[in-house]
Amino acid sequence: MKIFLDTAEIDEIRIAARWGVLDGVTTNPTLFAKVGGSYDDVLQQICQITPGPVSAEVVAEELEGMLQQGRHFAKLASNIVVKVPMSEQGLEAIARFAEEGIKTNCTLIFSSNQGLLAAKAGASLLSPFVGRLDDINETGMNVVRELVAIVKTHHLDAEVLAASIRHPRHVTEAALAGAHVATVPHKILRQMIHHPLTDSGILQFRKDWEAVQTAGQSHTHVGAT
Ligand code: E4P
């Protein structure tokens, strides 16, 4: 499963790239608002650091506006994927982008039927929002599981990207459900690295190593006299 970072923070993206685990990045208007500045500049910087796809989200509600924004994003870098919300206009935009050879990520998917339609329209990434479904007492991971099965059964040319990931267990469940990608906030990526037993184990090994060094030094000293 590929790991994308769900952020517009350049420093977080640089760190994940250095860890060797970064396959792509997803941004959205809320994540960009935390960073500020020019969305174009931020996207271009992210694209330079990121080896894989970088999602740039359109905010226009009407088809022509979506097309205009998406075409503009697509020119910023070769790894831009235009993120389009699920809607009637969104589906049409996805179909038009597909005709133009522009890759899309259909966002705000909350049902398998929405994902099926997005894939048929030509989206290359389907983003079911797991955490937001969990928030309303549904099981978000079910949509991921169903969409993975639908994509495989019908040989659809799309990948399932588990989004709205809220904790490390979501990442494990997405991987087990066969998601092609999970997009993960930096904080959760960091949580995935750490385990209390790993941390205490490292500490204990260091203490034991240092104890042996100290004992070795005092032996040498005794032998020399
Ligand atoms: C996906 O691409 C979205 O940016 C993101 O996962 C939304 O997550 P949230 O529900 O935590 O806002």
Side-chain angles (χ1 to χ4, degrees):
M1 185 176 73
K2 285 171 271 191
I3 303 258
F4 288 6
L5 210 58
D6 200 21
T7 189
E9 294 271 1
I10 302 296
D11 287 346
E12 294 181 351
I13 296 164
R14 280 194 214 285
I15 291 168
R18 288 205 300 270
W19 285 340
V21 297
L22 183 71
D23 296 309
V25 171
T26 50
T27 68
N28 66 34
T30 306
L31 295 170
F32 166 64
K34 290 180 188 166
V35 174
S38 143
Y39 194 29
D40 286 5
D41 289 350
V42 171
L43 287 170
Q44 280 175 320
Q45 282 187 64
I46 296 174
C47 285
Q48 278 173 11
I49 307 165
T50 310
V54 174
S55 291
E57 185 157 346
V58 299
V59 289
E61 284 177 33
E62 299 305 322
L63 176 67
E64 282 311 316
M66 287 183 188
L67 292 175
Q68 210 179 352
Q69 289 175 352
R71 286 175 189 141
H72 170 78
F73 292 147
K75 284 189 194 131
L76 293 176
S78 57
N79 49 341
I80 285 278
V81 171
V82 178
K83 211 176 184 190
V84 182
M86 181 69 200
S87 67
E88 294 180 18
Q89 291 81 1
L91 276 181
E92 195 169 342
I94 288 167
R96 293 277 291 276
F97 285 133
E99 282 167 13
E100 296 175 22
I102 294 174
K103 292 198 167 174
T104 52
N105 170 0
C106 184
T107 191
L108 290 166
I109 288 178
F110 292 94
S111 76
S112 306
N113 281 340
Q114 290 180 320
L116 171 62
L117 292 175
K120 288 186 68 70
S124 50
L125 292 168
L126 315 172
S127 291
F129 275 37
V130 176
R132 292 193 196 188
L133 278 169
D134 288 0
D135 289 345
I136 58 160
N137 206 25
E138 291 193 28
T139 306
M141 205 54 72
N142 285 346
V143 181
V144 173
R145 202 168 292 110
E146 286 179 4
L147 262 182
V148 167
I150 289 168
V151 164
K152 280 192 184 148
T153 304
H154 299 285
H155 307 289
L156 299 172
D157 191 15
E159 291 186 314
V160 179
L161 185 162
S164 187
I165 294 287
R166 294 283 162 79
H167 48 72
R169 189 66 204 164
H170 270 159
V171 182
T172 308
E173 286 170 7
L176 288 170
H180 305 86
V181 190
T183 190
V184 181
H186 182 78
K187 181 183 157 218
I188 293 169
L189 192 62
R190 188 160 251 141
Q191 284 178 309
M192 288 166 66
I193 296 172
H194 293 282
H195 191 285
L197 292 178
T198 306
D199 296 344
S200 61
I202 289 172
L203 200 67
Q204 189 61 49
F205 284 151
R206 190 174 303 135
K207 273 186 189 162
D208 291 344
W209 174 259
E210 280 166 6
V212 166
Q213 301 305 304
T214 312
Q217 275 168 12
S218 54
H219 268 297
T220 312
H221 185 69
V222 170
T225 51

